[in-house]
Amino acid sequence: MNKQFNSILENIEISLKRFLPEYTNPEWQSLSFKKIENANTEHFSQLITPCRTLMDSGGKRWRPLLLVLSSQYCSESGLHSPLSREETYSLTPLVEFVHTASLIHDDIEDSADTRRGLPCAHITYGLDTALNAASWLYFQAPTVIDSLKADENIKNKLYALYTSEVRRLHLGQAMDIYWHRNPSLYPSVEEYTQMVHCKTGTLASLAAQTGFLAGGANSEQIEKSGKIAACLGEGFQILDDVQNLTTGNPGKKRGDDIVEGKKSLPILIHITENPEDKEKISQLFEKASREGIDSSAVEECIALLSTKGAIEKALEKGKEVINENIKAYTEILSNSKDSESAKMIEELFSLMVTKFESKIK
């Protein structure tokens, strides 16, 4: 990976630790809670530890990377940034905190056992603590906006953007839950796409729009960046769907989407092309749900999808969506031909696709 990525990632980690330290400290406590007199370190740790542990266990950090690179892309295109370099880095927890909170809630809603190779937060810390800590993290995230010395207009735009995208995130999750709670109910591919644009794409959209706003872009450019980034998020969700049914996602067992009844794109492609298999797949979903990840229904369902090419077709669709939108993203600004950050954005996504392909071979 480009050495410049490492420098950016180091600064992102500094910002993440500043707004979510391992232990409470006076500066952090003052920003997060103003004045609290009768709460001790153990009380604060009930919020900090479950979230910090998950963040420290891995994650690609590509969304905060996209935020920073997008802001730099604007500057290199001749736009005037309303924020300093340090303030732009201080915005990165907006996306990473939301991502972390959503993973904890997602694992609770899916009754999952592991995340990134470790027991899920609700198993390690208890359902009540994990649920409360993740909910708190959604509200902790915008304290980064409070910390800015920027014009109130900029801060208000950031607040509006943040709350709008978090609402969309929860709508996407609601759609996904509705479908996987009903084994015989299958959305259309168009409905799946809308769900993914909300559930997964909204975090990419939040990163892109925050970066463009921080970089001094106008409203039209900011909105365009969000729409394209949501499509990139869709592409990577499709690749995630494929990996789940091939090698298995990192820290997860192969086919756990089948146990959870997820109506992923390979499933929808297969049913669209082979409607006679719909009842069979519904039965396999129900059996896997009853028997768990070691159920024979998991491998039987994967074999059915593989035999008729649905997994391979989903893989090609995911790559196509990503490749189409990488170029579109770095052409949003007209004066960006020599932008080093634009080239790094292209490299970031190309590397992610290449790394994914090497894993499933």
Side-chain angles (χ1 to χ4, degrees):
M1 181 178 281
N2 190 317
K3 290 183 179 179
Q4 290 175 273
F5 283 126
N6 293 330
S7 175
I8 296 172
L9 286 167
E10 287 174 6
N11 286 311
I12 287 171
E13 291 304 316
I14 290 171
S15 185
L16 294 178
K17 289 177 180 177
R18 175 189 170 197
F19 290 98
L20 188 65
E22 185 176 356
Y23 303 104
T24 184
N25 60 66
E27 179 188 0
W28 175 83
Q29 189 174 319
S30 176
L31 176 63
S32 302
F33 296 97
K34 305 306 178 187
K35 188 175 182 181
I36 299 286
E37 294 181 349
N38 294 304
N40 59 39
T41 301
E42 284 302 312
H43 300 142
F44 289 114
S45 71
Q46 303 305 302
L47 299 174
I48 294 173
T49 304
C51 302
R52 186 74 249 176
T53 299
L54 179 55
M55 285 181 55
D56 288 343
S57 68
K60 304 178 188 71
R61 304 287 197 261
W62 69 266
R63 297 170 187 87
L65 257 175
L66 178 61
L67 189 160
V68 173
L69 289 172
S70 296
S71 177
Q72 292 179 179
Y73 167 46
C74 291
S75 297
E76 291 166 4
S77 300
L79 301 181
H80 174 68
S81 174
L83 303 179
S84 67
R85 178 176 177 274
E86 290 73 20
E87 286 181 313
T88 298
Y89 273 105
S90 75
L91 290 174
T92 56
L94 273 179
V95 288
E96 199 62 26
F97 286 3
V98 173
H99 180 51
T100 301
S102 70
L103 293 181
I104 294 175
H105 279 168
D106 195 49
D107 288 339
I108 292 170
E109 291 160 355
D110 291 341
S111 300
D113 297 323
T114 60
R115 170 69 67 177
R116 295 175 179 167
L118 299 173
C120 292
H122 63 277
I123 293 175
T124 300
Y125 302 100
L127 177 61
D128 48 1
T129 297
L131 186 62
N132 187 59
S135 298
W136 163 78
L137 195 57
Y138 285 121
F139 297 98
Q140 174 66 11
T143 60
V144 304
I145 302 173
D146 296 334
S147 72
L148 298 176
K149 295 184 173 69
D151 181 271
E152 287 300 314
N153 183 49
I154 295 294
K155 296 170 77 169
N156 288 338
K157 286 181 178 179
L158 286 167
Y159 269 114
L161 171 61
Y162 175 78
T163 54
S164 173
E165 294 298 331
V166 171
R167 288 195 297 271
R168 286 166 56 84
L169 171 70
H170 285 78
L171 172 60
Q173 184 71 342
M175 296 169 76
D176 194 25
I177 291 171
Y178 176 64
W179 294 328
H180 78 240
R181 292 289 185 190
N182 296 275
S184 61
L185 181 61
Y186 294 85
S188 65
V189 171
E190 291 76 18
E191 288 174 319
Y192 165 87
T193 299
Q194 182 61 75
M195 179 275 289
V196 172
H197 273 235
C198 289
K199 181 180 177 180
T200 307
T202 197
L203 289 172
S205 175
L206 176 59
Q209 292 187 79
T210 301
F212 267 72
L213 199 162
N218 61 38
S219 298
E220 182 180 348
Q221 293 163 338
I222 293 168
E223 183 179 357
K224 188 173 182 179
S225 75
K227 289 180 178 179
I228 297 173
C231 291
L232 286 166
E234 175 198 349
F236 283 107
Q237 180 60 59
I238 294 171
L239 297 190
D240 190 74
D241 291 347
V242 169
Q243 187 171 5
N244 187 276
L245 300 173
T246 50
T247 58
N249 303 116
K252 298 273 189 176
K253 291 186 177 180
R254 162 176 152 127
D256 70 330
D257 277 358
I258 295 170
V259 176
E260 295 166 9
K262 293 291 181 71
K263 309 301 168 51
S264 63
L265 188 61
I267 294 285
L268 299 180
I269 289 175
H270 183 91
I271 287 180
T272 299
E273 297 179 350
N274 306 277
E276 69 277 7
D277 289 341
K278 183 176 180 180
E279 185 176 350
K280 174 67 173 177
I281 290 177
S282 295
Q283 291 171 351
L284 293 172
F285 273 157
E286 293 187 78
K287 183 179 180 182
S289 178
R290 289 195 311 271
E291 299 177 353
I293 192 64
D294 295 320
S295 172
S296 62
V298 173
E299 290 303 321
E300 187 176 347
C301 190
I302 293 173
L304 182 61
L305 298 172
S306 300
T307 301
K308 297 186 179 180
I311 295 176
E312 182 63 30
K313 288 173 183 176
L315 171 60
E316 292 308 310
K317 175 63 176 178
K319 288 162 58 178
E320 178 186 323
V321 170
I322 292 168
N323 289 332
E324 284 180 357
N325 286 283
I326 289 175
K327 198 66 179 175
Y329 194 87
T330 55
E331 291 177 350
I332 293 173
L333 303 179
S334 58
N335 300 322
S336 59
K337 290 182 179 179
D338 298 320
S339 170
E340 183 63 30
S341 294
K343 294 174 185 175
M344 289 178 69
I345 290 170
E346 291 184 354
E347 182 181 355
L348 170 64
F349 289 118
S350 295
L351 284 170
M352 288 171 66
V353 172
T354 300
K355 187 175 181 179
F356 168 82
E357 290 183 306
S358 69
K359 286 181 179 178
I360 65 168
K361 284 182 179 178

